[in-house]
Amino acid sequence: MTKSKKLIAPSILSADFAALGEEVRAVDKAGADWIHVDVMDGHFVPNITIGPVIVEAVKKHTKLPLDVHLMIESPDDYLEDFVKAGAKIVTVHQEVSKHLHRTVSKIRDLGAKAGVSINPSTSTELLIDILPHVDLILVMTVNPGFGGQKFIESCLDKIQKLSLWRQERGLDFLIEADGGITEATAAAVSKAGCDVFVAGSAIFKADNYETAIEKIRSKL
Ligand code: DX5
Ligand code: ZN
């Protein structure tokens, strides 16, 4: 994916699920660039959230790209369902994939952009060989599973490394950071080389979504 401006992707994990359509329309109107959808299976992460039917429902409320983050085991079994439901970007975790190249190829064959994510404890070096084959790398800046956690500073090194490797190798994948992104942490993440900023609680727990998005954007 070609880099242009810095993008903000509100995570609906912190939205009011009983009013999801309204919430999505509100962040769209407030200036969001993507809608981030956190899919959790209770196995890879200790929480269960949503599946393709919710992606399909959300799709009816926005034209923004749906950025689907799969925190699930056996993601290959569900790729087609999520793309059919309307996912524009599908991101899988490096930690669960035995054949990552096959998985990202399948996502692209289905017509979506392919992303790969790593947890804070996963070495960035494990991504080197897949970089030419992906559209996006998602760096978890908290341990995945829940919104509202504290940003882990040491993850900035991962973003810096990825940004450097991208430049050295002439690649064009986007770098996304997810977890603990707020007005206070966004500047350092941006300086490290991040392009896409996922923010859940910092946006959906704010009184005014437009102001919340603008506050983060002013730091990028
Ligand atoms: C965590 C999710 C995040 C989460 C971020 O597992 O992947 O997308 O919603 O929430 P905040 O911004 O509250 O840390
Ligand atoms: Zn996420």
CSV table of all heavy atoms in Angstrom, one decimal, residues 6 17 29 56 94 101 115 139 143 159-160 173 177 179 211 216:
chain,number,residue,atom,x,y,z
A,6,LYS,N,-0.8,10.2,7.4
A,6,LYS,CA,-1.0,9.3,8.5
A,6,LYS,C,-2.5,9.1,8.8
A,6,LYS,O,-3.3,10.0,8.6
A,6,LYS,CB,-0.3,10.0,9.7
A,6,LYS,CG,1.1,10.4,9.5
A,6,LYS,CD,2.1,9.6,10.3
A,6,LYS,CE,3.5,9.9,10.0
A,6,LYS,NZ,4.5,9.1,10.7
A,17,PHE,N,-21.6,-1.5,21.8
A,17,PHE,CA,-22.0,-2.6,20.8
A,17,PHE,C,-23.5,-2.6,20.6
A,17,PHE,O,-23.9,-3.1,19.5
A,17,PHE,CB,-21.5,-3.9,21.3
A,17,PHE,CG,-20.1,-4.2,20.8
A,17,PHE,CD1,-19.0,-3.4,21.2
A,17,PHE,CD2,-19.8,-5.3,20.0
A,17,PHE,CE1,-17.7,-3.7,20.8
A,17,PHE,CE2,-18.5,-5.6,19.5
A,17,PHE,CZ,-17.5,-4.8,20.0
A,29,LYS,N,-17.9,10.3,10.6
A,29,LYS,CA,-18.2,11.7,10.5
A,29,LYS,C,-17.2,12.6,11.2
A,29,LYS,O,-16.9,13.7,10.8
A,29,LYS,CB,-19.6,12.0,11.0
A,29,LYS,CG,-20.2,13.3,10.8
A,29,LYS,CD,-21.7,13.4,10.9
A,29,LYS,CE,-22.2,14.8,10.9
A,29,LYS,NZ,-22.4,15.3,12.3
A,56,GLU,N,-20.1,-7.6,8.4
A,56,GLU,CA,-21.1,-7.3,7.4
A,56,GLU,C,-22.1,-6.2,7.9
A,56,GLU,O,-22.5,-5.4,7.1
A,56,GLU,CB,-21.8,-8.6,7.2
A,56,GLU,CG,-22.5,-8.7,5.8
A,56,GLU,CD,-23.1,-10.1,5.6
A,56,GLU,OE1,-22.8,-11.1,6.3
A,56,GLU,OE2,-24.0,-10.2,4.8
A,94,GLN,N,1.5,-13.4,13.3
A,94,GLN,CA,2.7,-14.2,13.0
A,94,GLN,C,2.7,-15.5,13.9
A,94,GLN,O,3.0,-16.6,13.5
A,94,GLN,CB,3.9,-13.4,13.2
A,94,GLN,CG,5.2,-14.1,12.7
A,94,GLN,CD,5.8,-15.0,13.8
A,94,GLN,OE1,5.6,-14.8,15.0
A,94,GLN,NE2,6.6,-15.9,13.4
A,101,HIS,N,3.4,-17.2,4.4
A,101,HIS,CA,3.4,-16.8,3.0
A,101,HIS,C,2.1,-17.3,2.3
A,101,HIS,O,1.5,-16.6,1.6
A,101,HIS,CB,4.6,-17.3,2.3
A,101,HIS,CG,4.7,-16.9,0.9
A,101,HIS,ND1,4.1,-17.6,-0.1
A,101,HIS,CD2,5.2,-15.8,0.3
A,101,HIS,CE1,4.3,-16.9,-1.3
A,101,HIS,NE2,4.9,-15.8,-1.0
A,115,GLY,N,-2.2,-8.1,6.0
A,115,GLY,CA,-1.4,-7.6,7.1
A,115,GLY,C,-0.9,-8.8,8.0
A,115,GLY,O,-1.5,-9.8,8.1
A,139,VAL,N,2.0,-3.6,14.5
A,139,VAL,CA,2.8,-3.8,15.8
A,139,VAL,C,1.9,-3.7,17.0
A,139,VAL,O,1.4,-2.6,17.2
A,139,VAL,CB,4.0,-2.8,15.8
A,139,VAL,CG1,4.8,-3.0,17.1
A,139,VAL,CG2,4.9,-3.0,14.6
A,143,ASN,N,-0.3,-6.1,25.1
A,143,ASN,CA,-0.6,-7.5,24.8
A,143,ASN,C,-2.1,-7.6,24.4
A,143,ASN,O,-3.0,-7.1,25.0
A,143,ASN,CB,-0.4,-8.3,26.1
A,143,ASN,CG,1.1,-8.5,26.4
A,143,ASN,OD1,1.8,-9.1,25.6
A,143,ASN,ND2,1.6,-7.8,27.4
A,159,ILE,N,8.9,-0.6,15.7
A,159,ILE,CA,8.4,0.3,14.6
A,159,ILE,C,9.6,0.9,13.9
A,159,ILE,O,9.7,1.0,12.7
A,159,ILE,CB,7.5,1.3,15.2
A,159,ILE,CG1,6.2,0.6,15.8
A,159,ILE,CG2,7.1,2.4,14.2
A,159,ILE,CD1,5.3,1.5,16.6
A,160,GLN,N,10.6,1.3,14.7
A,160,GLN,CA,11.8,1.9,14.1
A,160,GLN,C,12.5,1.0,13.2
A,160,GLN,O,12.9,1.3,12.1
A,160,GLN,CB,12.8,2.4,15.2
A,160,GLN,CG,12.6,3.8,15.6
A,160,GLN,CD,13.3,4.1,17.0
A,160,GLN,OE1,14.0,3.3,17.5
A,160,GLN,NE2,13.0,5.2,17.5
A,173,PHE,N,5.1,-1.4,2.4
A,173,PHE,CA,4.0,-1.8,3.4
A,173,PHE,C,3.8,-0.7,4.4
A,173,PHE,O,4.7,0.1,4.6
A,173,PHE,CB,4.4,-3.1,4.1
A,173,PHE,CG,5.7,-3.0,4.9
A,173,PHE,CD1,5.8,-2.6,6.2
A,173,PHE,CD2,6.9,-3.4,4.3
A,173,PHE,CE1,6.9,-2.5,6.9
A,173,PHE,CE2,8.1,-3.3,5.0
A,173,PHE,CZ,8.1,-2.9,6.3
A,177,ALA,N,0.2,0.7,14.4
A,177,ALA,CA,0.4,0.5,15.8
A,177,ALA,C,-0.9,0.4,16.5
A,177,ALA,O,-1.9,1.1,16.2
A,177,ALA,CB,1.2,1.6,16.5
A,179,GLY,N,-2.8,-0.3,20.4
A,179,GLY,CA,-2.8,-0.5,21.8
A,179,GLY,C,-2.2,0.6,22.5
A,179,GLY,O,-1.0,1.0,22.3
A,211,THR,N,-13.1,15.8,18.4
A,211,THR,CA,-12.0,16.4,19.2
A,211,THR,C,-11.0,15.3,19.5
A,211,THR,O,-9.8,15.6,19.5
A,211,THR,CB,-12.6,17.0,20.5
A,211,THR,OG1,-13.7,17.8,20.2
A,211,THR,CG2,-11.6,17.9,21.2
A,216,ILE,N,-5.4,13.4,18.6
A,216,ILE,CA,-4.3,12.5,18.2
A,216,ILE,C,-3.7,12.9,16.9
A,216,ILE,O,-2.4,13.0,16.8
A,216,ILE,CB,-4.9,11.0,18.1
A,216,ILE,CG1,-5.5,10.5,19.4
A,216,ILE,CG2,-3.9,10.1,17.5
A,216,ILE,CD1,-6.3,9.2,19.3
